[in-house]
Every structure is written in C-alpha cells, then in structure tokens.
Amino acid sequence: MNKKTFYITTPIYYANAVLHIGHAFTTLAADTAVRFQQAMGNETFFLTGSDEHGQKVEQAAKLRGITPIQHTDEMVEKFKALWKKLDIQFDHFVRTTDESHKKSVQYILKLLFDKGLIYEDKYQGWYCTPCERFWTEKETSITEGKICPDCKRPIETIEEKNYFFRMSKFQTQLIEYINSHPNFIRPESRKNEVLGFLNQPLGDLCVSRPKKRLSWGIELPFDSDYVTYVWFDALANYISAAGYPYDMDKFNKLWPASYHLIGKDILTTHSVYWSTMLMALELPLPETIFAHGWWITGGGKMSKSVGNVVDPLSFVDKYGLDAFRFFLFREMVFGTDCTFSEESFVYRYNADLANDLGNLLQRTLPLVQRYREGFFHKQKETIFPQTTEIIKMSEAIKTDYIKSMNDLMFNEALGRIWELVGRLNKYIDELAPWTLAKNQKINELDEVFYTVGEGIRFVAHLVRPIMPHQMPSFIKQLGLPETFTLLPDLQWGQLPDNTKCQTPEPMFPRLDTPRIENLKAEKQPEKTKTQGAPQELSPKPAPVATSTEADLIEYDDFMKTQLCIAEVISAAKVEKADKLLQLKVKIGEEERSLVAGIAQHYTPEELIGKQVVMVKNLKPAKIRGIVSQGMILAAGTPDGGLALVQPSKPAISGVRVK
Ligand code: MSP
C-alpha cells in the first residue's frame, strides 16, 4: 500500500480582514511542517484558503459599495500576495466561492437532509449578529443580562423557520472518540477544554440563514429561501478541496487529514461542529486538530479590532524571512500564548542567530582556511572523547528532533538543535585548534575541523524546514553542492573527505542596541494606542501621534470605530491590581462593564457621574477575570499622567462621537 500523503490544513481566513502575524504564524507553521515532511521523504498536500460567505463579508462589501464577490476577489489577491512574499508553498488555495466547493457543500447538505440528520424546525432563540450564531436560553442565562456568552455584546431574540443539524445525536460518540484517540485534539489542555464543553448537553446546530436576512452564502439544495450557515460551509472546505465527493481517488489519498492547524479561538467549531459533521457523513475524523495559542501584543490577542496588529512584512523586510520564521517558532511554545515584541525579536536574533549559529560558521571556516587551506579531512579514528560525545549527541538530537517536528513542537526541536550548536562552539574553545596548529598536531586539527564541519552540516539539515532559504547557503559554504540528504538517511560522517570550504559570507549580522532604540522610536508614534486598549492604559507619557502617508485611512474605515458618550455610574478598584479600576458605564439605556488602567490617575469617587468618550464596538476582553466591554479614551499629560477625554459640555448619553 502507498504511504498516505501528509495532508495539513490552515484555517481558511475571513476575506474581510487584513492578515497579520497571527494568520501568518499558522500558515508558516503549516509550511514548516510540510517542508519537514518533504525532508523526511513523504508526500505532502498543503491546503489554505479564504472564507468568503456570511454577514461580515456582506457588510464589508456593502460599506465599500461593491458586490461581495468583488470584495472577496480583491481580498484573495491580497492573501495570495502575502503568501507569495512569505514563500508559503501551499498546494491548493480553496475559496468557499469556488464552484467545486459550493457543489460539495450542497451535496453534503442534501445527503444529511435525506438521512434525516438535517431537519426543519421553528426556532425562537437568542441571536448574536456579530458572531452569527444562536444561543439557547440556558446558555445566555449564565451571563449577566442578555449578552453573547462569546463576544459579550448584546443579543436579540429572533423567531424563524430554520434547518438544524442533529449534532446532539453524536455527543456520546464524540466523547468516546476523544477519549480513545489521545492525539485527536492537541495539546492536552485543549482536549480537556473540549471534554469540559461536552459535559453540557450538546444542542443541535442551526445550519441555515434565511435569505431575507443574509443572501451571501451557499443556497440550501432543499430550500431556495435559505443559505448555509457560514461555519458549516467553511468547515467543509477541508474535504471539498480534497476532492469530496467528486474526486474520490484524490480524496482517499488525502483523507483523513494529518493535521488541522488552528488557533485556539476556533477550537469548538473544529472539534465539535466539524467532528460531528464528519461522523454524520460517516467519514473518518482528522488525525489531529492542533490548536495553538495566540500571539499577544499590548496585553491582548493581536486582532484588527483592538488595533494592535503587527504586519508580518514589516519584519520580513527588515530582518529577512528566515530570521522571522526562526523567531516565531523558537519563541512560541506551540500551544500556549506568546508575547510578540520587537525587543524580544532582536534579543533572540542576537543570541541565537548572530552569536551562536552565525558565529559557529564564521569562526570555523576562516580557521580551516588558515590552517588547512580550506580542506576538511576525514579521520579514520577518533582521538578526542569530546568528538565521540558530539557524534552521539548529534544522533540523539536527530531522533528527538524528528519526534518533535512530527508533533509540531517546533520550539522543542529548535531547542535541541541549539544544544548542538552550543556544544560545537564550546568544542572549538576547548580544543583550541589554533594551539593544535601551532603545535603541529595535524591529525587532531583535522578531527576538530571535520567534527565542526560535520556538525554544521547536521545542523543545517535539521534547521532547513524552519529556515529554508538560508540553510542551503550554509551547505554551500561548507563546500558541498546545495542538495540535502533526506533526514532518515542523514548520518554522521557523510561530509566527504577533502571537501573544500568557501570563505564565509556574513549571515546574521548582529543587531546592536542603538538599532533597537531606533526601532522603538520608529514604531511608537503610530497612534495614541498605548492609551487605547484597556489592558494597556499606561502612566507613561503618550507618544505624539504622527501619521505618514501610509497610515492614512479612508473615512469609512474610521467610521468602523464607534465612539460614543458614556456616563460612569460606578467605579471600584480591582483587587491586587493597583493600576486598574472596574467601571460601570451607561450608554443611553445600556449598561456596560469596563476595566481601565487609570487607578493611579483618578480615584473611583471622582469618576462617578463623569461623561467620557468610549469605543463601543471593541471586542470584549477579560482582564483579571473581569469582562471589559469597551474602552474609554485618555491622553497623556505633560507631567506623565493621564487625562480622560471628555465632552467640553454635557452631551447626550450614548450619542455617537464623530
Ligand atoms: N474563517 C474562520 C476559520 C474557518 S476554518 C474552517 C476564521 N478566520 S480568521 O481569519 O479569523 O482566522 C482565525 C485564525 O487566524 C486563528 O485560528 C489563527 O490560526 C490565526 N490567528 C488570528 N489571530 C491570531 C493571533 N493573535 N495569534 C495566533 N494566531 C491567530 O476564524
């Protein structure tokens, strides 16, 4: 039997947002996994794409005065341009507007409808428009007031005929499956989260939207007044793009997917909705759903609505693609959240790339040139015990590395490789080839050079999936053709006798501190956003806001931020957080809870009754366990304090500020 293709997917990204390093991270991770599998000699298939239907896309297009498909066509071009710049080697880019995808979704719907697994019902329920989902009475009653348990925004009751997928029927089967397949949901903590979710009775899933409310979607094959719920449509991409049901030869080669790589934000939809959909279709489940953590900046998840996103290209342009890839995978423990900052980037770059790896190559090759005319000579016998140690270590590291890379634990894999890099640098110091040369110990000298050269060759092979553009140069500088041995065949001693190395090229020039300072100065003035996000309100003086041509935004974009007048009705200190105040504010009739970092600048008492300006449509965030549903605006004062932004005379409560 043929070996199964390694099939990996990324989420298909919403075609209404600009992609940032969060999205780039998932996609680069899939790319790294694929390059590793190829280096193992395996066949691979890498799927990414765009999620194009639904209310948000329809609204975004409307705002721009164009049709949804014109809008998504443009977005898709941008996605593809970014992936090209990041040299993402996907095999297929699926669009949910592709005819083949639509046909596949309709086939699935019809099949489940005919099996009685999709049924019609009258439905009255609580509906969250931004999340495009219904909530049960019970689910909403766990939260204070009628707000969406997910996004914490107000929800409304809606009654209408709809179609439902009998998700509840598969609850027990799913729990059993998760328990009997330890690798199905990873990491372990996410698996437990899903099992916790499944402790509650699972409802059925509303899979239709009446066209009168939303027309931008795939029409139901059994009722032309309805379109398909966007998640049901989107999740099916993983099989539609693999050929289901119209190219079953391809499908059988690819399915089940080896990995669905996702961020933790979309864990439930994948592990519960998607798994039960597959069970209903009697198809095998993916081997692993891997939910990684978030990249965090400014105290919160990087996201467009918070305004704290980092453009991957700014980093790639400044530091190079491989250094960027290296940083992402060295820094993030795959599965947990990680803070992104330019400082940590520069620190990591200097320590691991400039000092350790770059230095290893740059100090070794000139020594080989000076003392052995650039030739590596292979020895028959080993003289130094340190050499034996390094050979053993390399082999053990290769084994661990393969396991970690197979498991997508990239930071673990890199950690092990850097142990070898460190050991090789130390080996040079310990055995001091310059002294061996002075004392005419030629055999010893050759052993040291060969060991380090072979060590570099090993390292280059192992690092290549993560830094695919720069490792060929390492191999070339050693004097080898730029081809790589498949990893299972990689063995110590393959560096041919009499290989002649080249003069080293500068690889990872050190970034010095003044450059970091410059970077800070360059980056800071973007917007007065340090005062923006509630988790971030800081007592530091605000940087002066300046705008370059590239920063300018359209009026419509500005109008997406809903600023309004809010009145503080209560305020209290947050326990064990000396910078934070918990506020209750009124916007017209609506009450909201906020957390603001202003405790060092205002007492709770002086705030009560004050009118402030607040961002109303900011995604809620949990700060110290308290849900913050918006953000109040403040600006830095000359003495390093903070001043709340207020209307100059009493304004109407809840009125829009524009
Ligand atoms: N369209 C859905 C997915 C449907 S898949 C059948 C969607 N799209 S999205 O554009 O919002 O992308 C979400 C994904 O982007 C996350 O799951 C994650 O892969 C990536 N990230 C977005 N922000 C992120 C961070 N701040 N950090 C890390 N990755 C995150 O959800």
Side-chain angles (χ1 to χ4, degrees), residues 185-201:
I185 299 171
R186 288 192 37 226
E188 183 82 9
S189 55
R190 301 281 164 234
K191 174 175 114 179
N192 296 336
E193 209 176 298
V194 175
L195 285 171
F197 178 84
L198 288 169
N199 258 336
Q200 306 292 323

Side-chain angles (χ1 to χ4, degrees), residues 199-246:
N199 258 336
Q200 306 292 323
L202 190 61
D204 288 344
L205 183 68
C206 179
V207 293
S208 61
R209 295 292 181 266
K211 276 192 186 165
K212 61 178 174 357
R213 196 145 54 75
L214 169 74
S215 62
W216 181 234
I218 301 177
E219 189 177 287
L220 293 188
F222 39 80
D223 192 336
S224 59
D225 288 337
Y226 287 81
V227 294
T228 314
Y229 168 47
V230 65
W231 267 105
F232 194 93
D233 160 2
L235 288 162
N237 91 86
Y238 300 131
I239 53 173
S240 76
Y244 184 84
Y246 298 109

Side-chain angles (χ1 to χ4, degrees), residues 21 94 100 132 154 216 235 290 296 354 416 420 453 455 483 490 538 574 608 648:
I21 69 153
V94 60
S100 52
E132 295 180 21
W216 181 234
L235 288 162
F290 195 113
I296 306 271
R416 287 293 275 146
L420 180 58
T483 47
L490 178 69
S538 102
V574 174
I608 295 170
S648 56

